[in-house]
Amino acid sequence: MKIAILGHGTVGRGVDEIITNRLEEVEVARILELPDRLTDERMTSDYSQIVGDPSIDLVVECMGGLEPAHTFIMDALAAGKSVVTSNKAVVAAYFEEFARQARTSGASLLIEASVGGGIPWIASIEKARRIDEVISFYGIMNGTTNYIVDAMVKEGADFEDVLRRAQELGYAERDPSADIDGIDVKNKTIISASVAFDVACTSDFPVTGIRTLTKADLDALRKLGRGVKLLGRGVMEKGSYAVAVEPVAVPLDSLEANVPSNFNLVTFDATTVGELKFYGQGAGMLPTGNAMVQDVLDFAAGRRPSYDFSSDLAYDPTLLTSDYVFRTKADVAGALEIEGGLKVVRGATAQDARAILETALASDPTSFMAALPQED
């Protein structure tokens, strides 16, 4: 089987390396690269040479970003070529459009690597859904923010110092906004909800990152038996669903509280199989490349995933309701003062809690918020 790789950066090189060194049944026939980077005889800067080549069965998109990735994926699907992608931003933004085009042309979209790197997350959800309804999911989906929080706790370091080190190590980009403001987790939550709940999840839900987290916040919550993790969460119940991205004050003895460094831990709960957890590297050249090659091999073996988002679920923010803790100099109506200068609002939805935080940030830009779910 012949494939083409779009982009030969970190992930693209990983896919190429794994296929070239480990697989005999798959050939990387073409690689799309910029005109000044054509260092391999397989490379071209002309996408028409790929999408118009009838010998190429599968396009592996490793470019990242929205454009031209969106256009290239749509062109491939329209030409009847299936697509493997790790690009969570473009899948989250255009999942429904891609799925519709794939159904129209008889192609497939394979997205395992878009959430959780090398963790078999999407495939496991799809396998569970052959029998079960997926009731809920949650997890640490971003290794950069987990590294930052873990280092702050273990080293007693300040946020800015750890962020700078994460950038030096290559865990965080020069502009870390996508990580620390929760945008990366938002994209992965959209994809996870769409697959788990069979719904065209959009980006209109509460998203809060860890930009204002301080060592003092971690110390104060630790006295309450809690640690902070940035989680993507979703729940489905009685014809409705809700999702959110936010810091969550998890119990110190939970698995989530003890996930180290840049690792991920994601969980779903389904009707008969119950709760399943998946732990591993959520990013990186070879883990992500491995997940993409797994999709390539699945396609070669005849697997053709299809998404129609037919569940027609309504969005109900009340499905994600818990107590919330705030650290802010602003007034918070109805809040209870607790130890460490923290304020607690009882029984708020994630949507209402985000609105409270936005009001607080307007007068105190250092304000911080975390969900404080009840312990099981």
Side-chain angles (χ1 to χ4, degrees):
M1 183 178 76
K2 291 185 177 181
I3 72 167
I5 296 176
L6 310 187
H8 208 243
T10 299
V11 176
R13 288 197 309 273
V15 172
D16 190 18
E17 178 181 320
I18 293 171
I19 289 176
T20 301
N21 295 336
R22 294 177 178 269
L23 303 182
E24 295 181 355
E25 65 271 38
V26 180
E27 176 191 348
V28 179
R30 302 295 278 175
I31 298 171
L32 186 71
E33 255 297 355
L34 295 172
D36 60 344
R37 297 181 183 177
L38 305 182
T39 59
D40 186 300
E41 63 181 7
R42 300 169 297 172
M43 291 182 173
T44 178
S45 60
D46 182 359
Y47 186 52
S48 66
Q49 293 184 8
I50 292 172
V51 77
D53 185 342
S55 72
I56 293 175
D57 301 299
L58 187 68
V59 172
V60 181
E61 187 271 312
C62 306
M63 303 176 68
L66 296 181
E67 288 293 354
H70 163 249
T71 298
F72 288 169
I73 290 172
M74 284 296 292
D75 288 349
L77 293 172
K81 296 184 187 299
S82 293
V83 174
V84 170
T85 180
S86 61
N87 186 341
K88 62 260 184 184
V90 80
V91 175
Y94 299 106
F95 201 170
E96 187 175 20
E97 181 184 359
F98 291 157
R100 184 169 56 250
Q101 179 60 68
R103 291 195 305 273
T104 299
S105 55
S108 292
L109 180 70
L110 298 99
I111 58 170
E112 182 59 61
S114 66
V115 185
I119 299 170
W121 173 242
I122 298 297
S124 297
I125 292 174
E126 292 175 347
K127 189 173 182 179
R129 289 194 66 244
R130 293 189 298 188
I131 299 172
D132 287 352
E133 284 188 334
V134 175
I135 302 164
S136 64
F137 69 86
Y138 63 93
I140 299 165
M141 301 180 179
N142 180 272
T144 300
T145 52
N146 197 72
Y147 170 84
I148 291 170
V149 174
D150 185 56
M152 289 174 70
V153 170
K154 290 179 177 176
E155 301 170 17
D158 292 326
F159 181 91
E160 292 297 334
D161 293 336
V162 177
L163 173 58
R164 193 176 305 111
R165 194 186 325 144
Q167 290 170 319
E168 292 170 356
L169 292 170
Y171 294 157
E173 300 291 337
R174 180 175 298 178
D175 178 0
S177 301
D179 293 319
I180 65 175
D181 291 332
I183 299 167
D184 177 72
V185 180
K186 178 187 77 171
N187 290 332
K188 294 170 181 176
T189 300
I190 290 171
I191 297 166
S192 298
S194 298
V195 175
F197 304 148
D198 192 25
V199 63
C201 180
T202 68
S203 61
D204 188 19
F205 59 86
V207 176
T208 302
I210 62 164
R211 183 180 289 270
T212 57
L213 176 68
T214 67
K215 180 179 178 298
D217 296 328
L218 293 171
D219 292 342
L221 286 167
R222 197 166 189 83
K223 292 179 181 177
L224 300 176
R226 303 281 182 143
V228 172
K229 295 292 182 177
L230 181 64
L231 302 185
R233 302 196 287 165
V235 62
M236 187 272 291
E237 183 180 335
K238 297 177 181 177
S240 300
Y241 81 104
V243 288
V245 173
E246 57 196 2
V248 178
V250 297
L252 288 175
D253 60 357
S254 66
L255 291 175
E256 285 72 23
N258 293 281
V259 173
S261 189
N262 63 329
F263 283 82
N264 286 191
L265 176 64
V266 284
T267 302
F268 70 75
D269 189 8
T271 43
T272 66
V273 76
E275 188 175 83
L276 297 178
K277 291 183 178 289
F278 302 82
Y279 171 83
Q281 285 285 354
M285 172 176 162
L286 293 180
T288 303
N290 179 285
M292 298 190 81
V293 175
Q294 293 285 358
D295 272 348
V296 171
L297 290 174
D298 279 351
F299 179 81
R303 177 173 173 262
R304 301 292 186 269
S306 178
Y307 306 99
D308 61 13
F309 308 128
S310 58
S311 65
D312 195 30
L313 298 178
Y315 192 86
D316 181 1
T318 66
L319 295 179
L320 275 177
T321 300
S322 69
D323 296 345
Y324 281 82
V325 60
F326 293 83
R327 187 263 303 142
T328 181
K329 297 173 184 175
D331 291 332
V332 178
L336 304 173
E337 297 274 353
I338 62 173
E339 184 178 349
L342 299 176
K343 304 172 183 180
V344 174
V345 173
R346 302 292 187 192
T349 67
Q351 185 170 289
D352 288 342
R354 175 64 202 182
I356 293 170
L357 178 63
E358 288 177 359
T359 300
L361 286 168
S363 59
D364 177 8
T366 70
S367 299
F368 174 75
M369 173 198 81
L372 191 67
Q374 291 185 349
E375 296 188 53
D376 296 332

